[in-house]
Amino acid sequence: MARTTDIIIIKSIDQLPSVDEIKSISRERALKLVFKGNINKQRERIGQYLEHALSGFQVLIHTIDPELNIVKLITDREIEDNQYFFEQCAKDYRKLGEQLVLMLVDKLDLNLNKDFPLDTFNELKRDHQQIGTVGEWRYFAHGFHCGFQHLTTKQCIEVPLTFGLEFGDLDPYFFMKFILSSPDYNPLPIPLFDEYADGLRIINKMTTLGKFEKIPSNLPGHSGVVVTEREKVEIKSNLDLEKIFGKHIEEIEKKSKFNLWKFLGLKK
């Protein structure tokens, strides 16, 4: 969804809207403060003050242009009122992600590493198969995810590969892209504008409400968030994986300084 932008020219400090005035704007409107003359020298300091004073808002301090951009993010009340919608979206994300991964594994006749799917998908990168189509979807294996986009509807989903057979981890940006691109959710019950910032607030609040919960990852120092009401699967820790892989590669590591994580496409 697109916002309407209100532009205010700021030539002196007294032309700045008050914090209360800014708080009164709706989420459907964006505020752009354009600084002219000497007042621009104070722009960064003013932006930092507004960041502190405006809880629930996003204040962007432009690094080149003399402007501040301010928007109101989705509120806790709006998330609470639509919690069952966001919960269903998370369930749909998880279900579709699993279906697409298994469909791709079947098409390419891959030997899926159920403890660490990233290992299997890294093979696609080495075999130059990281981009292609499966059914009505285009896929792209990259980083810690495999992205899919429907060829007709353009629905998109990024499926995580570092949580064992748990494919429902919710990244704020990817979760919002999924919701906004899914035809079945239109019209949305609540306007969504900022794909990362709104997504982060939704995930944090849904976790507080108990609808989402944190889960461990295969990777050291990494965790995720998934819908609470689900059929739970075991997720091996990085130490468990070291033991599993170590049985087969311990001697190779000694002789050639082989590094498991580098082999899997990760740095360690």
Side-chain angles (χ1 to χ4, degrees):
M1 292 184 179
R3 287 185 166 104
T4 300
T5 300
D6 296 330
I7 300 175
I8 301 178
I9 305 299
I10 308 296
K11 295 182 179 180
S12 61
I13 196 71
D14 60 303
Q15 292 180 316
L16 281 169
S18 68
V19 169
D20 286 340
E21 288 175 329
I22 296 174
K23 285 183 176 179
S24 69
I25 68 173
S26 69
R27 288 206 301 118
E28 287 75 16
R29 305 191 75 82
L31 183 62
K32 178 183 288 190
L33 305 182
V34 180
F35 292 75
K36 301 287 187 178
N38 290 333
I39 188 67
N40 187 45
K41 296 177 181 178
Q42 302 181 52
R43 176 171 54 90
E44 185 173 345
R45 181 176 62 83
I46 292 170
Q48 291 171 347
Y49 165 74
L50 292 176
E51 280 184 317
H52 177 75
L54 294 170
S55 176
F57 282 72
Q58 184 179 62
V59 179
L60 299 177
I61 306 171
H62 205 288
T63 57
I64 300 176
D65 295 335
E67 63 186 50
L68 297 178
N69 291 279
I70 305 171
V71 295
K72 185 176 184 179
L73 301 175
I74 190 169
T75 66
D76 286 349
R77 178 60 183 272
E78 288 173 319
I79 299 170
E80 290 173 6
D81 289 346
N82 292 276
Q83 60 183 282
Y84 297 108
F85 169 71
F86 293 125
E87 182 182 35
Q88 187 59 52
C89 290
K91 291 179 179 179
D92 295 343
Y93 191 105
R94 185 174 187 263
K95 181 179 179 180
L96 179 60
E98 180 179 4
Q99 289 175 343
L100 291 174
V101 165
L102 297 182
M103 185 189 305
L104 183 56
V105 166
D106 182 63
K107 176 188 176 180
L108 299 181
D109 194 26
L110 302 175
N111 182 20
L112 180 63
N113 184 332
K114 296 181 180 180
D115 293 318
F116 194 41
L118 184 62
D119 176 36
T120 301
F121 279 78
N122 275 337
E123 293 179 11
L124 299 183
K125 302 172 189 177
R126 291 189 286 270
D127 295 339
H128 304 291
Q129 297 186 85
Q130 68 185 104
I131 299 176
T133 58
V134 55
E136 298 181 322
W137 297 80
R138 180 174 176 80
Y139 73 86
F140 173 38
H142 63 99
F144 298 157
H145 294 79
C146 186
F148 295 87
Q149 184 175 48
H150 196 276
L151 297 174
T152 303
T153 68
K154 304 305 178 183
Q155 180 186 29
C156 56
I157 182 172
E158 293 280 345
V159 186
L161 303 171
T162 58
F163 298 88
L165 293 181
E166 175 56 72
F167 299 112
D169 171 52
L170 302 173
D171 169 272
Y173 179 76
F174 294 154
F175 187 38
M176 287 300 96
K177 291 288 286 184
F178 170 74
I179 293 175
L180 292 171
S181 66
S182 298
D184 290 346
Y185 301 150
N186 286 317
L188 292 172
I190 181 74
L192 298 173
F193 298 98
D194 295 276
E195 290 167 345
Y196 179 81
D198 277 343
L200 183 60
R201 285 183 64 83
I202 289 168
I203 288 174
N204 288 342
K205 184 60 179 179
M206 290 291 286
T207 302
T208 300
L209 292 172
K211 296 296 184 179
F212 294 172
E213 65 179 6
K214 292 184 178 181
I215 57 172
S217 168
N218 297 143
L219 303 181
H222 185 58
S223 62
V225 174
V226 69
V227 66
T228 303
E229 188 178 285
R230 69 189 190 283
E231 184 178 345
K232 299 184 179 182
V233 298
E234 180 184 8
I235 301 174
K236 292 280 197 301
S237 71
N238 65 296
L239 294 178
D240 292 331
L241 290 173
E242 289 273 19
K243 293 176 183 177
I244 294 170
F245 283 100
K247 293 178 182 179
H248 304 291
I249 65 174
E250 184 176 7
E251 291 303 318
I252 299 176
E253 285 184 322
K254 288 180 180 179
K255 294 179 182 179
S256 62
K257 296 183 180 180
F258 179 86
N259 186 293
L260 167 64
W261 301 105
K262 289 182 180 179
F263 172 73
L264 295 176
L266 308 174
K267 293 181 178 179
K268 185 181 179 185

